[in-house]
């Protein structure tokens, strides 16, 4: 497997883990869904002080970073002839679009 494919897979997995972390956190704290500022504060409090600035500001630098990661991995995946990589590329662009809403 090419090195670019491996890097794209790693970027894709990191982005997926970040999104799953948020979804599982929201599911666990379902009682705070109506109070989004409190939910966001509780979510940010879980991270080390080094990562907190990426999540506190609007637009979130973390969302911009993950949008770029998904776009780059999507481009690498789409360039492959393998059907699995094409599907990963399409889902990567969908997740990038999803993260784009966090920036707005």
């Amino acid at each position: 497997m090419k090195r670019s494919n491996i890097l794209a897979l790693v970027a894709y997995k990191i982005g997926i883990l970040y999104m799953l972390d948020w979804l599982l956190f929201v599911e666990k704290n379902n009682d705070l869904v109506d109070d989004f500022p409190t939910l966001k504060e509780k979510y940010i409090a879980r991270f080390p002080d080094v990562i907190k600035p990426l999540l506190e500001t609007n637009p979130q630098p973390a969302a911009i970073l993950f949008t770029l990661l998904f776009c780059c991995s999507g481009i690498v995946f789409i360039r492959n002839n393998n059907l699995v990589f094409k599907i990963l590329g399409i889902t990567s662009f969908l997740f990038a679009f999803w993260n784009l809403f966090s920036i707005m």
Side-chain angles (χ1 to χ4, degrees):
M1 187 180 294
K2 294 180 186 177
R3 185 179 182 151
S4 62
N5 291 345
I6 293 171
L7 290 174
L9 282 171
V10 169
Y12 184 79
K13 287 179 184 179
I14 290 171
I16 293 291
L17 289 174
Y18 174 74
M19 291 174 65
L20 281 175
D21 178 50
W22 169 252
L23 293 172
L24 292 174
F25 179 80
V26 169
E27 183 64 31
K28 185 178 177 183
N29 295 291
N30 205 11
D31 56 328
L32 295 174
V33 170
D34 294 331
D35 187 15
F36 184 73
T38 306
L39 179 69
K40 185 177 176 182
E41 286 177 23
K42 190 173 179 182
Y43 180 70
I44 292 172
R46 299 177 22 199
F47 292 97
D49 292 334
V50 175
I51 298 174
K52 285 181 184 179
L54 292 174
L55 301 169
E56 291 175 336
T57 59
N58 283 330
Q60 292 181 357
I64 295 169
L65 174 70
F66 287 114
T67 301
L68 291 174
L69 281 177
F70 279 126
C71 285
C72 291
S73 62
I75 291 169
V76 171
F77 290 148
I78 291 292
R79 289 186 177 179
N80 283 307
N81 293 330
N82 191 343
L83 179 64
V84 174
F85 282 120
K86 297 281 187 192
I87 293 170
L88 284 174
I90 292 169
T91 59
S92 185
F93 286 123
L94 289 173
F95 291 142
F97 187 69
W98 187 356
N99 271 300
L100 190 62
F101 285 109
S102 298
I103 297 170
M104 294 179 185

